[in-house]
């Protein structure tokens, strides 16, 4: 799947949820799953094709009782 196809299927994430990792030659789009901060990630290779999807790319961080 290309980036354009991803946009048609899921929509474009907010700009702050898009990251480039030039050292790995990949980019990632993160889609928020809930208000706790969890997000799914769609990862694109250097040809801008999806090579991986991780529905638990960002997990909720636990709050420390104070």
């Amino acid at each position: 799947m290309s980036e354009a196809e991803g946009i048609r299927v899921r929509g474009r994430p907010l700009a702050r949820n898009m990251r480039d990792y030039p050292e790995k030659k990949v980019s990632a789009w993160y889609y928020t799953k809930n208000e706790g901060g969890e997000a799914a990630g769609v990862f694109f290779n250097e040809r801008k094709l999806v090579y991986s999807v991780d529905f638990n790319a960002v997990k909720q961080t636990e709050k420390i009782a104070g």
Side-chain angles (χ1 to χ4, degrees), residues 19-30:
R19 301 277 191 273
D20 288 320
Y21 300 98
E23 68 282 359
K24 296 180 181 179
K25 299 180 182 177
V26 300
S27 59
W29 293 359
Y30 298 99

Side-chain angles (χ1 to χ4, degrees), residues 3-62:
E3 284 185 350
E5 291 168 323
I7 292 169
R8 282 195 298 274
V9 171
R10 183 64 176 102
R12 181 180 294 276
L14 298 174
R16 68 176 185 240
N17 293 341
M18 300 170 77
R19 301 277 191 273
D20 288 320
Y21 300 98
E23 68 282 359
K24 296 180 181 179
K25 299 180 182 177
V26 300
S27 59
W29 293 359
Y30 298 99
Y31 293 94
T32 304
K33 292 174 25 178
N34 57 44
E35 292 187 24
E38 295 181 332
V42 178
F43 301 91
F44 297 90
N45 63 20
E46 59 190 2
R47 295 185 305 151
K48 303 298 183 194
L49 298 174
V50 173
Y51 77 89
S52 181
V53 176
D54 183 351
F55 292 99
N56 297 305
V58 178
K59 295 186 180 188
Q60 183 175 0
T61 57
E62 294 184 37

